[in-house]
Amino acid sequence: MVRKRLNHGDISGFFATLPIMLHTKPKPFQRASHAVSITLLICALSLVAAPFRAAAQYLPSEEEALIADFMVNDQDQQRPAMQLDPILSQIARERAEDMAARDYFAHTNPDGFAANYLVRQAGYELPAWWPAGDADNFIESIAAGRSTAADTWGDWMASTPHRTHILALNPFYQDQTSYGVGYASSATSRYQHYWVILTAPPSALEANAALVLSQNVPSSMIAGSTYNVSVSVLNTGSNTWTQAAGYRFGSQAPADNSFWGISRVNLPENVAPGSTVTFSFAVTAPSSAGTSDFQWQMVQIGVGSFGEQTQRLPIAVSNPAPPLPPAQPPYVAPAPVYSNYSAPSSGSDSSVKKKSKKSKKKKSKKKSKSKKKK
């Protein structure tokens, strides 16, 4: 097979002619017992993609494997050999998952990033002479609306721009022999099923490159309190990360800030290419209430930051709750207060009154007797 290679002069004109988007108008989606009728949407090669979170090891799903089989074994495929690439595969899958989760269908994600940018951020090296804008895409085809790989493949093959990209019918694509396939579904999204193919020239590993796999950070904190967080990072470069060589995990937004009480985290161990490291460390929430961004990235002292940054998380920081009022003391009844009157030692009030009457009678008798004597 004879290939015509495009020189730099040819490619500038070729980039200008890449289709921005191709899609057909979707028909209404009928639910319940009605027939489902969704016209496939397919977007070609001006792509922009979404932030992704990759797993350390890539295993294609059944749907992804079927698309890969169609692509590699199609009789019109112009690439002499193709290699499934784990980074491209993970980005493709996360692109599909992002569209399903955030309910959009576009090469440009809501954050304004493109496939070229994303694969470079993940440590995948694209040709240096390719444009490096955030919204550039020369490597992706996407589709939405079909529930099976066969139907999706049929619609791609019926679209000239997508067929040209996927089967490398233009010489520009023929050295893009590395590929990845992504699929995701969401019953609550508009098109429910999302498909992605990425192709690229084989990557020469950068010396320093990193991919963020996961992070575990509280979404809210109390001002001045301490919290444990963890972030897992995959070494996708060719260098081994060691403490002696100056590799650290550094705060971002902005770089080396100490908003969280710490700006650099040491490596817990050496990290060889292809290995994963988990940074587990304690952070202290800012001292005042508000929203603070939490973001980190690998850094080599004397060289600079590299690789994918963690997703920027807006952390809600609130003031501590006011202290509770002191508990009320237990109720104590007041002691009784007595007058100088002394109660009689015995008898009742009535008996006292009777005695006083008798004494009065005796006194009156004495007086009467005394009067008679006189």
Side-chain angles (χ1 to χ4, degrees):
M1 178 174 58
V2 178
R3 297 183 183 180
K4 178 181 180 296
R5 294 298 298 248
L6 298 176
N7 59 37
H8 290 201
D10 296 330
I11 204 67
S12 61
F14 178 76
F15 286 152
T17 63
L18 283 175
I20 300 302
M21 178 178 286
L22 175 68
H23 67 273
T24 54
K25 184 177 180 180
K27 298 177 182 179
F29 180 68
Q30 297 176 313
R31 298 183 179 274
S33 61
H34 300 287
V36 176
S37 176
I38 306 177
T39 300
L40 175 71
L41 298 183
I42 35 185
C43 286
L45 305 172
S46 93
L47 145 82
V48 189
F52 52 87
R53 297 290 170 273
Q57 292 185 348
Y58 172 80
L59 294 175
S61 67
E62 180 181 354
E63 294 84 358
E64 292 165 346
L66 287 171
I67 291 291
D69 184 64
F70 289 143
M71 180 168 59
V72 171
N73 295 309
D74 192 286
Q75 62 181 1
D76 293 326
Q77 180 60 254
Q78 299 301 297
R79 299 175 179 94
M82 301 189 70
Q83 177 67 43
L84 185 69
D85 183 87
I87 295 178
L88 295 180
S89 298
Q90 291 294 354
I91 297 171
R93 179 181 291 174
E94 294 298 338
R95 279 282 291 124
E97 291 176 345
D98 188 63
M99 287 189 286
R102 295 202 276 180
D103 198 11
Y104 72 95
F105 181 70
H107 286 303
T108 303
N109 76 343
D111 303 312
F113 294 112
N116 289 20
Y117 172 85
L118 291 175
V119 299
R120 281 173 167 148
Q121 283 294 104
Y124 194 98
E125 185 179 2
L126 296 176
W129 51 272
W130 281 16
D134 290 354
D136 287 327
N137 164 55
F138 314 135
I139 60 177
E140 181 190 71
S141 286
I142 62 177
R146 297 289 195 183
S147 61
T148 68
D151 287 342
T152 300
W153 181 258
D155 286 318
W156 265 329
M157 293 300 97
S159 166
T160 299
H162 299 88
R163 180 179 174 85
T164 299
H165 165 232
I166 295 169
L167 299 181
L169 303 182
N170 187 297
F172 172 73
Y173 301 115
Q174 290 175 3
D175 64 353
Q176 295 184 11
T177 55
S178 295
Y179 72 96
V181 178
Y183 167 76
S185 63
S186 171
T188 60
S189 63
R190 182 179 181 186
Y191 300 113
Q192 298 193 338
H193 303 278
Y194 299 84
W195 307 80
V196 177
I197 288 178
L198 292 176
T199 64
S203 173
L205 289 180
E206 297 181 15
N208 283 337
L211 192 63
V212 176
L213 306 182
S214 65
Q215 62 177 336
N216 184 11
V217 182
S219 59
S220 61
M221 299 183 185
I222 302 299
S225 298
T226 300
Y227 298 85
N228 293 323
V229 302
S230 63
V231 182
S232 295
V233 183
L234 174 66
N235 183 352
T236 58
S238 59
N239 284 350
T240 296
W241 303 342
T242 68
Q243 188 74 12
Y247 287 91
R248 306 287 190 275
F249 200 45
S251 60
Q252 296 293 317
D256 291 326
N257 73 77
S258 57
F259 297 158
W260 304 99
I262 186 173
S263 60
R264 297 280 177 90
V265 180
N266 292 335
L267 285 171
E269 58 192 2
N270 293 344
V271 185
S275 298
T276 299
V277 60
T278 297
F279 294 95
S280 298
F281 54 103
V283 298
T284 302
S287 58
S288 57
T291 301
S292 297
D293 288 335
F294 186 94
Q295 189 173 44
W296 293 73
Q297 186 180 21
M298 286 301 303
V299 61
Q300 185 179 14
I301 297 172
V303 177
S305 300
F306 65 89
E308 184 191 15
Q309 296 178 332
T310 64
Q311 182 181 2
R312 184 179 293 198
L313 299 177
I315 307 299
V317 180
S318 57
N319 288 321
L324 296 174
Q328 295 290 335
Y331 176 77
V332 178
V337 178
Y338 298 101
S339 66
N340 292 329
Y341 171 77
S342 298
S345 58
S346 63
S348 63
D349 290 346
S350 59
S351 64
V352 172
K353 289 180 181 178
K354 288 180 181 179
K355 287 180 179 179
S356 62
K357 286 181 180 179
K358 289 179 179 180
S359 61
K360 285 181 181 180
K361 287 182 179 179
K362 288 180 179 180
K363 287 181 180 180
S364 61
K365 286 182 179 180
K366 287 180 180 180
K367 286 182 180 180
S368 60
K369 287 181 179 180
S370 60
K371 285 181 181 180
K372 289 178 180 180
K373 288 179 180 180
K374 289 180 179 180

